[in-house]
Amino acid sequence: MATAVLGMQWGDEGKGKITHLLAKDAAMVVRFNGGPNAGHTVIDRGVKFGTHQIPAGVFYSGVKSVLATGMVIDIFVLREEYDGIVEHLGRKPELIIAENAHLIMPYHRILEDLEGSGSAIGTTRRGIGPAYRDRAARIGIRAIDLLDGSRLRERLHSRLDALKRAWPQSEEIASLSASALADDLRSAAEPFLASIGDAPAAIDAALTNGEEVLFEGAQGALLDVDYGTYPYVTSSSTVYAGLPHAVGLGGLRVEHRLGVTKAYTTRVGEGPFPTELTGEEGEWLRSAGAEFGVTTGRPRRCGWLDLVALRHATRLNAPTGLAVTKLDVLSGLEEIKICRAYRLHDREITTFPASLEDLALCEPVYESVSGWDDDITGVAAYGDLPAAARAYLDLMAEGIGAPISIVSVGPSPEETIITGFDRG
Ligand code: IMP
């Protein structure tokens, strides 16, 4: 049986908490895209923990953590994460690292700064774009290259030669040496060198054996490289539509596809955001929801829920259920707005424009619903939520086109209402 946890917005929907919650029943958790640009905040045994590349299943013993081919992996960051987890858990995580996955090299981060591409888009500056670009340009270094020191040195040598010719003025690039980098990489990867292997075969075997496999997406549908708000997107496919390719299984069938959305909207970085609240209301949401990035600490832009964008995400993620997070943040508001259409050039539209210029001109058409006063963090059953909160959730489910499976009413695992999520 397979389940996927997928972002329905611009990332930061709270996928980490949901994966962490579901992972305790899984045999394997697979992260399938992105790299250390993601940041999951997980509360494990009362300790707040940030994971960046290792999927949230790592906290349970016996759960295998797979870093799939669709990712770009920063070995130095992975080593830090690995050591932190060993210290927190007192045991080694069981990792499988896809041999075909590409690696983020120190020069990818340097390039992002040198080219200014990161600041134009407001990236996380973790080298994601340059690493995926090297993959497409067929000059990348893959996890499998770590297994053979002389091959690694040779590949790095030719890549660094080209970079030194292209960026003669960069002292940072000039200071990189292929043999030192190869040695550093292999020594950082030492605890998990033996985990590099055929990830698609391992996932396939788990599924064939009837094991519970959980696929964990990073970022969200609106950051997808093809279907998001291009060019203000990340460089990977972030959606269910890209999952089979990212894990190397053409026949993959994922029975449960959980689309995760906040009860409002946030985004970090640049790019159009039709329901953004720039004044006091935006400030209020940011502070009520503690909306600051896990990876970069940047304040997140905040706004009302956008059904037009969510329906676009529904086509890409095909959710069988929704996990609505941070509903508690909206408590205390007299009125809540929900965007059900856009106004563009005096016309009302209900589809998400591919043109960035059009999207930037879109004015949200709102429907207002009443809020609720009660603190809902302790609510354990759907029926015990205030009627106004239930009405808001109904409006979301109907507008997005999928039933509500999970409602998160606080950061810790206990503060979660599970409704109608049947895992077979
Ligand atoms: P990159 O993935 O670092 O190249 O950044 C590209 C865009 O995706 C920027 O707008 C980032 O802020 C955004 N982004 C990347 N990862 C995340 C994430 O995990 N949460 C939210 N936004 C993200």
Side-chain angles (χ1 to χ4, degrees):
M1 185 70 78
T3 303
V5 175
L6 305 149
M8 295 287 284
Q9 298 169 308
W10 277 289
D12 307 321
E13 299 92 349
K15 296 178 295 294
K17 172 179 163 171
I18 304 296
T19 327
H20 185 232
L21 203 73
L22 299 180
K24 62 177 182 306
D25 302 321
M28 179 181 269
V29 184
V30 182
R31 167 84 186 271
F32 66 86
N33 72 297
N37 49 349
H40 286 339
T41 314
V42 160
I43 299 186
D44 185 73
R45 277 147 263 202
V47 180
K48 199 166 176 184
F49 214 91
T51 60
H52 292 282
Q53 300 182 110
I54 302 182
V58 72
F59 298 101
Y60 301 104
S61 66
V63 179
K64 294 192 186 82
S65 296
V66 181
L67 280 70
T69 311
M71 288 185 70
V72 280
I73 302 166
D74 187 320
I75 291 298
F76 299 112
V77 175
L78 185 59
R79 176 60 187 270
E80 262 179 53
E81 253 179 273
Y82 182 95
D83 289 348
I85 284 165
V86 170
E87 196 181 321
H88 173 63
L89 297 177
R91 62 170 165 78
K92 291 181 185 167
E94 242 190 285
L95 293 185
I96 299 171
I97 300 171
E99 55 200 358
N100 295 354
H102 280 250
L103 303 183
I104 300 179
M105 290 291 154
Y107 50 78
H108 289 132
R109 289 189 185 216
I110 299 171
L111 284 176
E112 207 167 350
D113 282 341
L114 281 176
E115 294 167 350
S117 53
S119 47
I121 288 169
T123 68
T124 59
R125 297 166 86 161
R126 297 296 187 270
I128 305 292
Y132 277 114
R133 186 176 61 196
D134 277 7
R135 176 178 89 161
R138 295 155 296 188
I139 49 174
I141 312 284
R142 300 185 300 167
I144 199 169
D145 297 326
L146 292 171
L147 301 180
D148 179 334
S150 59
R151 184 171 65 200
L152 181 63
R153 247 185 309 278
E154 219 175 274
R155 298 218 157 128
L156 283 171
H157 202 271
S158 94
R159 186 70 189 103
L160 282 175
D161 256 7
L163 282 174
K164 285 175 186 179
R165 279 196 306 275
W167 296 96
Q169 74 283 29
S170 165
E171 285 175 23
E172 272 187 294
I173 297 272
S175 71
L176 292 173
S177 124
S179 22
L181 181 53
D183 290 347
D184 290 350
L185 280 164
R186 276 172 55 85
S187 115
E190 194 274 323
F192 37 81
L193 271 183
S195 309
I196 298 173
D198 188 344
I203 303 167
D204 200 19
L207 288 168
T208 307
N209 290 338
E211 290 172 14
E212 186 70 43
V213 179
L214 188 59
F215 295 94
E216 174 187 296
Q219 293 90 41
L222 304 177
L223 287 173
D224 183 87
V225 64
D226 289 312
Y227 301 105
T229 45
Y230 191 89
Y232 299 100
V233 291
T234 190
S235 301
S236 65
S237 173
T238 59
V239 292
Y240 179 65
L243 175 55
H245 183 263
V247 301
L249 293 175
L252 184 69
R253 278 190 61 241
V254 177
E255 292 83 357
H256 295 292
R257 301 175 297 275
L258 205 53
V260 188
T261 171
K262 273 181 191 160
Y264 49 95
T265 312
T266 63
R267 101 168 276 185
V268 283
E270 302 301 318
F273 176 177
T275 61
E276 181 171 17
L277 294 167
T278 47
E280 263 177 34
E281 279 172 309
E283 282 294 336
W284 182 88
L285 257 182
R286 181 158 37 253
S287 109
E291 294 294 354
F292 296 89
V294 178
T295 301
T296 59
R298 288 183 289 177
R300 295 178 183 144
R301 299 157 66 193
C302 300
W304 297 120
L305 196 76
D306 183 341
L307 291 179
V308 182
L310 282 164
R311 277 193 299 266
H312 176 67
T314 292
R315 190 142 14 88
L316 296 161
N317 280 333
T320 53
L322 297 172
V324 178
T325 59
K326 292 199 157 183
L327 185 66
D328 53 301
V329 171
L330 298 182
S331 297
L333 285 173
E334 214 166 283
E335 177 195 46
I336 299 171
K337 289 186 188 162
I338 189 161
C339 167
R340 56 169 183 78
Y342 296 150
R343 181 162 294 284
L344 176 67
H345 305 309
D346 283 335
R347 267 193 330 117
E348 214 172 277
I349 59 166
T350 52
T351 52
F352 196 69
S355 149
L356 202 71
E357 289 72 22
D358 281 352
L359 187 62
L361 291 175
C362 282
E363 294 282 339
V365 178
Y366 287 119
E367 181 170 341
S368 287
V369 295
S370 6
W372 56 92
D373 265 341
D374 329 37
D375 174 11
I376 58 171
T377 43
V379 174
Y382 193 82
D384 294 339
L385 284 169
R390 277 182 281 130
Y392 183 62
L393 291 170
D394 286 348
L395 203 60
M396 281 183 77
E398 195 191 323
I400 297 171
I404 308 272
S405 299
I406 293 178
V407 183
S408 170
V409 289
S412 60
E414 301 76 43
E415 291 161 334
T416 312
I417 303 168
I418 301 195
T419 151
F421 183 63
D422 171 16
R423 309 182 77 208

